[in-house]
Amino acid sequence: MKIIVVGAGAFGGWVALMLQRKGHQVQLLDGHGPANARASSGDESRVIRALYKDEIYTRMTLQSMQLWEENEILFGEKYFYRTGVFNFIGRDESRWLAAKSHLNKWHVGYEELDNAALISRFPMLSTKGIQYSVLEEGGGYLRARAGCEAVVAQFVLEGGQYLQKNVKALQQLPTTLSEIELEDGSNLEADAFVFAAGPWLSQILPQVLEGVIRPSKQDLFYFGLPSHFTFKQHIPVWCDFATLEEDVMYYGIPAIDQATAGFGFKVGKDVAGPDFDPEHGERIIDLKNLENARHFMEQRFPFMKRAPLVQARVCQYENTLDAHLIIDTIPGLENVWVAGGGSGHGYKLGAAVGHYLANRIEGSLAEEPLFLLNRLSKPLDGDQRR
Ligand SMILES: Cc1cc2nc3c(=O)[nH]c(=O)nc-3n(C[C@H](O)[C@H](O)[C@H](O)COP(=O)(O)OP(=O)(O)OC[C@H]3O[C@@H](n4cnc5c(N)ncnc54)[C@H](O)[C@@H]3O)c2cc1C
């Protein structure tokens, strides 16, 4: 089958590679390049952890971990670092209690630590607000931007065609789709189409996705580590659910690999920011967010007091209403697929999304109801946080 994949981020890149491996003739298109500075996958690193209250993401994360490790051998470079992920649990332990049974079921190694044990492992930390911690031993981080580039390079090596071209939006949905129009005025024909354009999806398919995927502005900060710090003496990845701000999770990735070690101690706040246009939005951080991040860092990591900001990034989440992915066909168009809605947690799932969608297109896997578009027309229930 001839298949066009639009978008070479964490989702589209893996989808294209998996389809190519199944013997299809695949063209992968990206208007700005794989993991470009506007893309959601465009930052240096992303957390990968199996601790989820929804079992499906635990399973997909484990599959992604395996796919990264298998493919790193082909890529000839390391992109997945199993540093361990510390989860700091505060008064609300419900997310951890929901996740625990999945970790047990899927044999994910973890350790529960009281604060004394935590400090013995992670001495440079203040335990204020932390009741206890969970160390997910096999979690860590992925080199995000470089990882997308490696997936696309491998796709091309295995016979796929990559084109740096922008696809025109489908303002009006046709009754059948056999070709798409590019911004340079040319057309490309295919039997099936996958739209994996991340935060741009609501602009490309407005009739189906406007208001369904809402991009939000997310500021990220890299603080300079003291000069005596070496990447060998590393701090693991951490997710702080014990912050004093209600419903706020901060997370951090103190990169230890040679490629990103000098980038600084990365910290982000996992709360959806204001609406943002991925194409035209100016990437300027909000100074109030910087002040809050710095305040948080100084409280949790006293050794970072007065650490200078060395870099900052503006990225965007591509939020769905319930923070679950969308992997489905467009109503009435059985050969047109959407893969997106990563909602701030999609990078780690990208490889598993590629596997799932390649098999869905071939009809060899059952559909996952959680990823269908029509779920979003029903009232939501429960806690929408992941
Ligand atoms: C600050 C921040 C922190 C995050 N932290 C984590 C984390 O720790 N762990 C985790 O798992 N996830 C995390 N995420 C989420 C994750 O990064 C995203 O869900 C994921 O990268 C989305 O990938 P994507 O392929 O859907 O989109 P993108 O990476 O945005 O890719 C879409 C691509 O489509 C292209 N495109 C758009 N329009 C067109 C067009 N018309 N024609 C051709 N090409 C087009 C774009 O150029 C782009 O390259 C985070 C996100 C942000 C913003």
Side-chain angles (χ1 to χ4, degrees):
M1 210 174 1
K2 193 166 178 203
I3 305 177
I4 289 178
V5 179
V6 180
F11 284 14
W14 277 104
V15 169
L17 180 59
M18 295 299 186
L19 284 167
Q20 184 66 29
R21 284 183 181 167
K22 284 181 171 290
H24 298 289
Q25 198 188 330
V26 186
Q27 286 183 308
L28 172 63
L29 275 63
D30 199 299
H32 300 300
N36 61 82
R38 288 174 166 120
S40 296
S41 311
D43 190 24
E44 298 308 315
S45 53
R46 291 286 184 254
V47 179
I48 179 159
R49 58 177 170 92
L51 193 154
Y52 265 103
K53 64 187 173 64
D54 300 290
E55 184 183 349
I56 186 166
Y57 296 127
T58 300
R59 189 157 47 79
M60 287 175 78
T61 300
L62 295 175
Q63 187 181 29
S64 282
M65 288 174 169
Q66 190 185 338
L67 284 167
W68 274 103
E69 286 181 334
E70 284 168 9
N71 281 278
E72 275 176 347
I73 298 166
L74 299 173
F75 301 160
E77 205 173 321
K78 193 167 166 58
Y79 297 94
F80 174 23
Y81 285 80
R82 289 188 186 264
T83 59
V85 177
F86 274 101
N87 296 276
F88 307 140
I89 315 291
R91 276 194 311 264
D92 177 6
E93 55 181 355
S94 57
R95 186 185 286 97
W96 161 236
L97 296 179
K100 193 173 179 171
S101 59
H102 312 322
L103 298 200
N104 289 334
K105 179 174 168 188
W106 291 93
H107 309 291
V108 178
Y110 67 86
E111 212 178 324
E112 290 176 279
L113 305 163
D114 62 19
N115 282 348
L118 174 64
I119 283 296
S120 72
R121 302 281 181 87
F122 205 163
M124 58 285 273
L125 178 92
S126 156
T127 56
K128 195 171 173 186
I130 300 177
Q131 305 297 315
Y132 63 99
S133 302
V134 178
L135 169 62
E136 184 186 322
E137 289 152 355
Y141 72 92
L142 292 161
R143 286 172 55 206
R145 182 183 51 76
C148 287
E149 287 169 357
V151 171
V152 175
Q154 186 65 30
F155 162 74
V156 172
L157 207 66
E158 294 186 24
Q161 188 185 16
Y162 169 71
L163 299 169
Q164 186 147 339
K165 299 225 178 238
N166 220 39
V167 172
K168 274 198 178 171
L170 291 177
Q171 295 297 351
Q172 296 297 323
L173 281 182
T175 46
T176 57
L177 193 71
S178 57
E179 60 178 19
I180 48 170
E181 204 182 336
L182 308 187
E183 274 185 2
D184 64 9
S186 61
N187 287 356
L188 285 178
E189 287 181 5
D191 305 305
F193 301 85
V194 177
F195 287 89
W200 286 262
L201 277 169
S202 45
Q203 298 178 8
I204 297 186
L205 295 164
Q207 278 185 299
V208 188
L209 296 175
E210 198 169 6
V212 172
I213 294 180
R214 188 182 71 80
S216 62
K217 177 174 181 278
Q218 307 300 139
D219 293 351
L220 271 174
F221 306 102
Y222 287 79
F223 291 101
L225 285 159
S227 57
H228 60 267
F229 237 85
T230 66
F231 67 87
K232 283 190 183 126
Q233 180 196 21
H234 71 265
I235 305 169
V237 173
W238 49 272
C239 296
D240 193 341
F241 299 97
T243 60
L244 301 177
E245 291 175 67
E246 205 171 324
D247 282 348
V248 167
M249 190 265 266
Y250 276 97
Y251 60 92
I253 310 180
I256 57 153
D257 60 274
Q258 293 278 14
T260 54
F263 278 62
F265 190 156
K266 170 175 161 175
V267 60
K269 183 176 177 176
D270 184 31
V271 173
D275 287 357
F276 192 68
D277 178 345
E279 186 67 22
H280 300 108
E282 289 252 65
R283 312 259 160 186
I284 299 171
I285 56 158
D286 181 334
L287 291 178
K288 184 74 192 154
N289 290 343
L290 171 60
E291 198 183 305
N292 290 342
R294 175 167 275 140
H295 178 71
F296 164 79
M297 287 296 274
E298 291 183 353
Q299 294 227 320
R300 184 61 81 217
F301 302 99
F303 75 97
M304 293 297 286
K305 208 170 175 71
R306 285 188 284 279
L309 180 72
V310 291
Q311 293 191 61
R313 303 278 165 92
V314 174
C315 189
Q316 63 280 305
Y317 286 172
E318 50 309 306
N319 303 288
T320 59
L321 290 172
D322 57 5
H324 293 305
L325 310 183
I326 295 175
I327 311 176
D328 197 2
T329 51
I330 290 178
L333 288 169
E334 300 242 304
N335 66 335
V336 184
W337 293 80
V338 172
S343 306
H345 67 123
Y347 193 93
K348 71 176 82 55
L349 305 170
V353 167
H355 175 268
Y356 171 77
L357 185 46
N359 283 289
R360 285 290 301 130
I361 288 175
E362 293 205 329
S364 53
L365 256 187
E367 67 185 18
E368 171 49 59
L370 196 64
F371 300 156
L372 299 181
L373 265 166
N374 67 8
R375 76 177 193 270
L376 295 165
S377 49
K378 297 171 195 145
L380 302 174
D381 53 19
D383 177 3
Q384 303 320 326
R385 290 168 304 151
R386 301 168 303 273

